[in-house]
Amino acid sequence: MNRGSWRWSMMVGLLIAGIWGCGGDEPQPAGDLADIPYVPQAYLLPELPYFFPDLSVPADNPLTVDGVELGRYLFYDPILSVDSTLSCAGCHRQELGFTDGLALSEGVGQTIGIRNAKPLANVGFFEKGLFWDGRVQTLEELALHPIEDPLEMKNTLENLIADLQVHPEYPAMFRKAFGIADREEISAPLIAKALGQFTRTLVSFNAKYDYANWDRGPETQFFSPSELRGQKLFNREPIDPDEPHPGCSHCHVGPLVSTNEYANNGLDEALEPVDFPDPGLGGITGKPSDFGKFRVPSLRNVALTAPYMHDGRFATLEEVLDHYSSGGHYADNLDANIFPFSLTAQEREDLLSFLHTLTDTVFVQEPAYGNPFSE
Ligand code: HEC
Ligand code: HEC
């Protein structure tokens, strides 16, 4: 197996100035940035394994080398927050699978938020709503929320735009990314586009889980006997249908390790929808049957993304297994695949060792996703 060929291979852009660029003969637009060349080059994602779904990119925000680069700078720059103390990366740390290690996130001035920071691996593939409750649809739309959220960066877009317009570096970067002719054209939609582009490039496909599955040679070549047994517990239905079995793959499955659907996995007892401490999807759709449902999270890098669940209530994977094996709490819409089961000490260990095969160390060390200010 040539691991190298799976690695990040190309960052070389294609010259497509002919399509998007300003033609040489056209008059130059007036503006203080007009002299800086605008030569957009397509950003090429690493070659994704065949078993991945297609990454859909909005027609009005194609990935370009300069767009992604600008998004990366913005993501790591505390200038986005009201007092320049907190960047996106402050709550989405690469080494923690782009989470923050806290149960509930901490905003500017130690304000405690209401939810657990989500991992960002493969976030561009989730097309049925983002955030735990699916309240926004695209990465572009999402990007402006944390900036203005009073529990997060507490800034205003007007303030941020004004800071970026007078910045020594950013106006030229916006020019290169989006072809604006004047710093006055720096706008919220362009900030959103750049952050959308960068977050869309965060692709993870180099976990042991990826190598052991999908025709890349016999599973035993990659998985230890314990990991292999753990995967069987995670995946397979029991031979005897009456035998209670974890069956995690009903919801956590495939390359995204998620069905991308919404489910109630039994965290809270609720006789009525109002009993859920956090309404989740129901808070968005208003449908009683959606209360207490959350988007099934990917389990990629799950060993790095503790604590767990939308409110970070479980500190460890052991506690997560205790929750599932208890069968969860009663609610009308408790998913049928959540029911009590028991595991021997060995089976528990096997399941935990399988969960560790979802760690993608290439992803969490990939320099292209890291902090550009420390390069
Ligand atoms: C104060 C901490 C904090 C900061 C700062 C922050 N985030 Fe988040 N992020 C969160 C939390 C908490 C969630 C989950 C919120 C929810 O679901 O209601 C989240 C969710 C997300 C998601 C959704 C992932 C998914 O799978 O649905 C994306 C994308 C994201 N953040 C990107 C960003 C970007 C881009 C920035 C900077 C503009 C940023 N975040 C700044 C805490 C933070
Ligand atoms: C009915 C679908 C379903 C089944 C079956 C299921 N899960 Fe989940 N899982 C979810 C949902 C939904 C969440 C998010 C719940 C929340 O935070 O409110 C979740 C969250 C998690 C998390 C926390 C992830 C994070 O980023 O915080 C872990 C870990 C997890 N599940 C592991 C498992 C394991 C192990 C099994 C099998 C024992 C399993 N799940 C079975 C739906 C399911």
Side-chain angles (χ1 to χ4, degrees), residues 208 212 218-232 346 349-350 352-354 356-357:
K208 206 195 252 191
E219 285 173 327
T220 44
Q221 183 186 333
F222 302 100
F223 274 177
S224 70
S226 171
E227 290 162 350
L228 203 51
R229 289 193 302 268
Q231 166 147 287
K232 287 193 171 131
Q346 181 65 56
E349 200 179 297
D350 294 343
L352 289 170
S353 55
F354 166 70
H356 281 77
T357 70

Side-chain angles (χ1 to χ4, degrees), residues 94 98 120-121 202-204 301 360-366 369:
Q94 184 180 16
F98 288 98
L120 302 183
L202 301 175
V203 290
S204 161
N301 299 310
D360 180 349
T361 46
V362 175
F363 175 75
V364 295
Q365 290 167 14
E366 170 55 54
Y369 306 150

